Amino acid sequence: MDTSPSKRKVSSDRETDDPSPSTSKRRRTSPVERSREVDWPASENALQGARKFLKQCAQAGKRTVILPDKDADGLCGGSIIYRTLVQLGHSPEDISIHLLQKGNNVHEPMEHAAIKSLEASYVIVVDQGSRPTRVTAEGDPAEVLIIDHHFSDEFPPGATVVNACHHEPVATSSLLAFIICQPLHRKVSGSCDWLACMGTIGDLGSALKWEPPFPDMADTFKRYKKKSLTEAVSLINARMVDFYSYSVTLRLIHVFTARRTATFDVISAWTAVNSANSPEDILSSSSKTSQRLFDARREINLEVEKWSHTAPQFSSDGKVALLRIRSAAQVHPVVATRWAGHLKSSALQIVMVANEGYLPEMVNFSCRIARCAYVRAGKTNSSAAPPVDIIELLKSYADRDQPAEGQLPLRERIGDNFARGHKQASGGIVKIEHFEEFCTLMEIGVKKEGSSTRSPRKGKAVQKNTLDGYFKPKPKA
């Protein structure tokens, strides 16, 4: 009997990429139909290419490795891919989840070796960013699918790529994964819609207005309270308190961990997400996995509070507010987001938080657009085009460098981990000496004659935007 993948029986639960009206009872326009109408969240060719890849992967039934990012968006996107493959008939025993080592990206030789050791035929990378270099080792025959939304015009050679970065408003990786997978099997909508919402809330916030071209998720928000989705996101992201180096490859049967703690426990975050049928399952107090996430959240809250009172310094043009911290926890993005919502100045565009304690001899920095910049431009955080392109702003400061004869400019010396991410949320990982050069180019702490970061006032200037004023609870009237 022929048992080749091409002869396998196709489940009646599977749907075609273009379901007929008789097989679709939903009266609302589906996310898939809407994506065709507006060329969103990515090009139709890219979406179809990803669907073809996943169907071939499931039919082959060979070893498959999923590499999700470790935040809520990445883990939810990875879980959507995992569930879809299983629903298409792929054996869970032949699916591995690989989580990157602290401070690494998928282009590191160390990660290439780890992936190659799994002897995968298919590698699916979710929410990890894109570069023009391989995500697998040279000579590794695995086929690669990239699902991403980080800004990039360059992608790994030979990979199947679907990226939302050039399709405004930019969708999250989890929402992109959901729209890719929804037409592949009838159960995807009911089992993965809440994951798409949760991942999107994780990246874009709970205040996001789900207006076109975003899909109509009203039914999802009726079944699951937004409060539960938001609370579950906070738990999943809390495990990003990376106090210890951690590298793990999870197989769905066996778990191999180098080091596991309450403060850096990506394995628990993945397990919580992928085993849950609802956000309430993640929040269950009876779950030992969830309890570890609650422990991590308590620790990260303390760490964030500790470093949120750091005093900012400003660039000479007033566009950048820099806060320096030293924490072994990945709290720099959280502190940047908190300050971006409160700090005000007539020229301020971005808040940058630089963490010198996260990785040895390196500075990890995160940048967020200041809320006052949105207000000046008459835009909101969910606007299609942000008022500031952080990536271009960072590059413009680095381009001020005028190297001595025979010396490379800073942009060439600073490395590939500079100015990565999104236009409205960027950052980097650079050597300490390069970051100090960068600060010199921004003229941090240097005031130009006649300039001030405060609003003009009569008489003696009094700073009202004090640190206590930002984070101290206001008395009730």
Side-chain angles (χ1 to χ4, degrees), residues 9 61 99 106 133 175 255 306 359 393 416-417 420 471:
K9 183 179 179 180
L99 304 173
V106 293
T133 53
L175 184 57
V255 177
K306 173 183 176 181
L359 292 175
L393 182 62
D416 292 333
N417 289 326
R420 290 287 176 178
F471 308 117

Side-chain angles (χ1 to χ4, degrees), residues 48-280:
Q48 293 292 0
R51 289 169 188 146
K52 181 180 179 181
F53 184 102
L54 293 174
K55 286 189 285 188
Q56 290 178 343
C57 175
Q59 289 169 1
K62 295 180 179 179
R63 171 65 59 190
T64 299
V65 175
I66 301 175
L67 285 84
D69 193 21
K70 58 185 182 294
D71 65 0
D73 186 33
L75 294 176
C76 288
S79 184
I80 290 170
I81 298 299
Y82 171 84
R83 293 172 193 233
T84 301
L85 290 176
V86 172
Q87 287 162 355
L88 290 173
H90 202 307
S91 171
E93 295 183 11
D94 291 321
I95 302 176
S96 297
I97 305 299
H98 178 68
L99 304 173
L100 303 182
Q101 189 173 19
K102 177 180 176 179
N104 279 1
N105 60 65
V106 293
H107 305 281
E108 302 280 353
M110 180 188 302
E111 301 299 342
H112 292 174
I115 296 167
K116 189 174 183 178
S117 70
L118 296 173
E119 300 180 344
S121 296
Y122 297 90
V123 174
I124 303 170
V125 183
V126 183
D127 197 38
Q128 296 280 9
S130 298
R131 302 183 189 182
T133 53
R134 297 177 61 91
V135 297
T136 54
E138 194 70 40
D140 190 331
E143 296 185 48
V144 176
L145 170 63
I146 307 289
I147 298 176
D148 194 41
H149 68 145
H150 294 85
F151 183 83
S152 182
D153 290 313
E154 301 173 305
F155 305 99
T160 298
V161 177
V162 54
N163 191 306
C165 71
H166 293 301
H167 299 259
E168 300 284 355
V170 178
T172 60
S173 293
S174 54
L175 184 57
L176 180 58
F178 178 68
I179 292 175
I180 290 169
C181 294
Q182 191 186 33
L184 300 182
H185 195 282
R186 69 175 181 83
K187 292 185 178 180
V188 170
S189 291
S191 64
C192 298
D193 57 348
W194 66 276
L195 289 167
C197 291
M198 209 172 96
T200 300
I201 289 172
D203 261 24
L204 301 182
S206 59
L208 173 71
K209 295 180 179 179
W210 289 77
E211 298 174 343
F214 282 89
D216 183 356
M217 306 299 277
D219 289 344
T220 305
F221 286 113
K222 286 180 182 178
R223 292 201 312 274
Y224 311 104
K225 295 179 181 179
K226 184 175 286 189
K227 181 179 179 181
S228 297
L229 290 164
T230 304
E231 183 79 2
V233 167
S234 73
L235 276 188
I236 297 304
N237 283 342
R239 50 97 221 116
M240 293 173 68
V241 189
D242 303 343
F243 282 105
Y244 300 103
S245 177
Y246 182 88
S247 178
V248 59
T249 296
L250 166 67
R251 295 200 180 196
L252 278 304
I253 300 299
H254 305 290
V255 177
F256 303 89
T257 62
R259 189 174 296 174
R260 188 161 85 180
T261 69
T263 51
F264 186 62
D265 196 3
V266 185
I267 204 80
S268 290
W270 166 259
T271 302
V273 168
N274 203 50
S275 63
N277 293 315
S278 70
E280 286 77 13

Side-chain angles (χ1 to χ4, degrees), residues 352-425:
M352 177 187 298
V353 177
N355 188 354
E356 295 184 32
Y358 187 66
L359 292 175
E361 301 178 357
M362 305 292 284
V363 174
N364 290 63
F365 67 97
S366 293
C367 304
R368 299 292 184 267
I369 298 176
R371 183 176 180 274
C372 62
Y374 280 104
V375 173
R376 285 197 305 270
K379 296 185 176 184
T380 65
N381 293 39
S382 58
S383 298
V388 180
D389 185 334
I390 298 178
I391 293 175
E392 289 304 315
L393 182 62
L394 295 176
K395 290 179 178 179
S396 71
Y397 284 123
D399 286 338
R400 292 179 175 180
D401 184 35
Q402 297 181 349
E405 186 176 352
Q407 185 182 27
L408 292 174
L410 180 61
R411 279 283 297 277
E412 294 184 30
R413 290 181 286 116
I414 205 167
D416 292 333
N417 289 326
F418 173 76
R420 290 287 176 178
H422 309 279
K423 294 178 181 180
Q424 67 271 44

